[in-house]
Amino acid sequence: HVDLEGGGGQTAKELDKLKEKGAISLWNSATITYENVTTDRLVAVTNLTSPDDQLGLKPGKLMFFRHVVIRQLALVGLVCLCVSGSVFPPALQHGMALFGAGAMLLHLATLIFANRIDAFLQFRPVRKDKHGEDRWARRQAGRLLGAYLCGIPVQAVAKAEGGLREVLVYGRREGPWDYRELQESIARDGFLSAGLSPDAVYRQCVVQMMGLVAEYVKYGQATEGFRNMALLERNLAFVQKPMSRGHRQMLARLGLIIAYRLLQEHSVAFEIV
């Protein structure tokens, strides 16, 4: 018996043993090779002429307001509170104090209710679109299949709003990060030697892009892609050596192309999932 959910590195080892015995074949079977993927190459393979629009890589207005505008308002509000007692006229001082207090209260409220607000914003498109649940299911199935093909264990299949399920994948094959190990590797080697190797980075790119590609292949456009990019960026924070923004963007294109090929190759397995 192999616990496929939440087992971390132990799950990967047990599945490796089953694969060696010939009991399973698709686990960790993806061949990931590095190539410098240009935008022209991406278009030629996937027909993604405008990834930002076709994959939903830009957050919607409400999400932008939640994460950017409110934070900026809070910063301005803090400045207003700090200077409201200065040499400005009394009426202006009063107005600045009110604005500052209001902005800080709004920011505090979003922090307190962050999980509820984010859940509402995440599932709002699912509820509005008649194909929303199928789109959601394809994104999760793509991520699950991508993780399995790339040999990365699943952290959890969590319950989401409305009876939906969300697939959460570990950031590395070995399971949860050991932060002490990361710190020791920096002190010992001068860089994050215990972080993600180049091959592990490529596999994470495939996992995070595969769900989007699965939705895009059926509907011609994916949604909420900025969430996948945020997860990828979070994982890339653990790379052995820092990467430039341009290199990270190229890796995302690499993940898209490989994910597209894998879905074509394993279309039957995807539909079963």
Side-chain angles (χ1 to χ4, degrees):
H1 173 74
V2 179
D3 188 359
L4 296 178
E5 182 182 354
Q10 186 59 36
T11 293
K13 293 178 182 178
E14 292 176 357
L15 290 175
D16 285 344
K17 292 177 181 178
L18 289 176
K19 184 178 178 67
E20 290 174 1
K21 295 177 181 178
I24 55 177
S25 58
L26 293 184
W27 165 256
N28 200 21
S29 62
T31 301
I32 311 295
T33 55
Y34 175 81
E35 59 177 298
N36 187 5
V37 180
T38 63
T39 53
D40 290 340
R41 177 66 174 157
L42 180 66
V43 173
V45 175
T46 66
N47 200 33
L48 281 166
T49 55
S50 180
D52 284 358
D53 296 327
Q54 290 172 281
L55 297 179
L57 299 184
K58 292 182 178 179
K61 294 180 180 178
L62 288 176
M63 186 62 67
F64 181 80
F65 182 81
R66 149 79 174 93
H67 287 282
V68 179
V69 176
I70 290 180
R71 188 176 302 172
Q72 292 176 346
L73 285 174
L75 181 60
V76 174
L78 180 61
V79 173
C80 287
L81 288 175
C82 291
V83 303
S84 61
S86 59
V87 295
F88 294 104
L92 182 57
Q93 291 181 24
H94 181 67
M96 292 173 65
L98 286 177
F99 173 81
M104 295 304 295
L105 285 174
L106 178 61
H107 182 57
L108 180 61
T110 58
L111 291 177
I112 294 173
F113 300 103
N115 290 337
R116 294 184 181 181
I117 294 172
D118 289 341
F120 169 78
L121 294 176
Q122 182 174 10
F123 294 101
R124 183 170 173 266
V126 178
R127 292 189 295 267
K128 288 180 61 178
D129 189 341
K130 66 178 181 179
H131 300 298
E133 291 191 5
D134 184 63
R135 286 177 175 271
W136 174 270
R138 287 182 172 274
R139 289 200 297 274
Q140 305 312 311
R143 182 180 292 166
L144 179 61
L145 180 61
Y148 192 81
L149 293 173
C150 290
I152 302 175
V154 172
Q155 180 178 354
V157 181
K159 291 183 179 180
E161 189 173 305
L164 300 174
R165 297 279 181 169
E166 182 174 12
V167 177
L168 305 176
V169 179
Y170 286 110
R172 61 173 185 166
R173 177 177 165 83
E174 293 79 11
W177 288 102
D178 184 335
Y179 293 100
R180 178 176 295 181
E181 179 187 4
L182 293 173
Q183 292 174 347
E184 290 176 351
S185 74
I186 295 177
R188 181 182 64 251
D189 302 319
F191 68 100
L192 202 62
S193 58
L196 292 176
S197 66
D199 181 71
V201 169
Y202 307 152
R203 291 176 184 274
Q204 274 297 323
C205 292
V206 173
V207 171
Q208 297 305 332
M209 296 296 104
M210 199 151 173
L212 291 180
V213 174
E215 182 184 0
Y216 162 73
V217 166
K218 180 172 182 179
Y219 292 101
Q221 186 171 9
T223 53
E224 301 284 292
F226 66 91
R227 297 183 185 278
N228 298 66
M229 287 299 298
L231 285 172
L232 179 58
E233 287 286 348
R234 191 180 306 168
N235 288 327
L236 292 183
F238 295 97
V239 295
Q240 292 179 341
K241 296 183 179 180
M243 298 178 178
S244 67
R245 182 181 178 183
H247 189 57
R248 295 197 305 271
Q249 290 175 337
M250 191 283 298
L251 288 175
R253 294 194 294 269
L254 174 66
L256 287 169
I257 281 185
I258 296 176
Y260 189 84
R261 291 171 176 166
L262 290 175
L263 277 172
Q264 288 182 318
E265 182 180 351
H266 300 288
S267 58
V268 174
F270 171 77
E271 293 300 331
I272 292 174
V273 172

